[in-house]
């Protein structure tokens, strides 16, 4: 059971953005609960891109909050399998 993982990812995104650890972040998620963290990272001048797999149901307002969007294909997952 994973408890609080989304919250931890969101907090890490904001903290690392504020420290200027990177200039671009890529979030692989369809969960609009990340929207506030995305906005805060962008306030720290970090570009945040959304990556998602075909068939994911993503809120349109959530999509609009990103600096770019990338569609990931299932063959990528096949390449990552062990």
């Amino acid at each position: 059971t994973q408890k609080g993982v989304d919250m931890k990812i969101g907090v890490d995104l904001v903290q690392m953005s504020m420290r200027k650890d990177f200039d671009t972040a890529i979030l692989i998620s369809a969960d609009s609960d990340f929207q506030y963290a995305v906005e805060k990272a962008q306030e720290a001048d970090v570009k945040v891109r959304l990556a998602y797999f075909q068939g994911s149901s993503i809120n349109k307002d959530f999509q609009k909050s990103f600096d770019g969007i990338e569609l990931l294909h299932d063959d990528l997952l096949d390449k990552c399998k062990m």
Side-chain angles (χ1 to χ4, degrees), residues 38-56:
V38 168
E39 292 168 356
K40 290 298 166 188
Q42 290 168 325
E43 287 177 13
D45 294 323
V46 169
K47 300 256 186 260
V48 185
R49 300 180 62 81
L50 171 66
Y52 69 97
F53 286 95
Q54 191 170 5
S56 298

Side-chain angles (χ1 to χ4, degrees), residues 1-12 31 33-34:
T1 303
Q2 297 179 350
K3 296 287 281 176
V5 173
D6 290 352
M7 177 65 74
K8 291 175 184 176
I9 292 170
V11 168
D12 285 347
D31 189 344
D33 287 347
F34 286 110

Side-chain angles (χ1 to χ4, degrees), residues 13-14 17-20 23 35-48 65 67:
L13 174 61
V14 173
S17 296
M18 293 176 72
R19 286 194 312 252
K20 307 292 187 208
D23 57 10
Q35 187 162 353
Y36 187 71
V38 168
E39 292 168 356
K40 290 298 166 188
Q42 290 168 325
E43 287 177 13
D45 294 323
V46 169
K47 300 256 186 260
V48 185
S65 65
D67 297 298

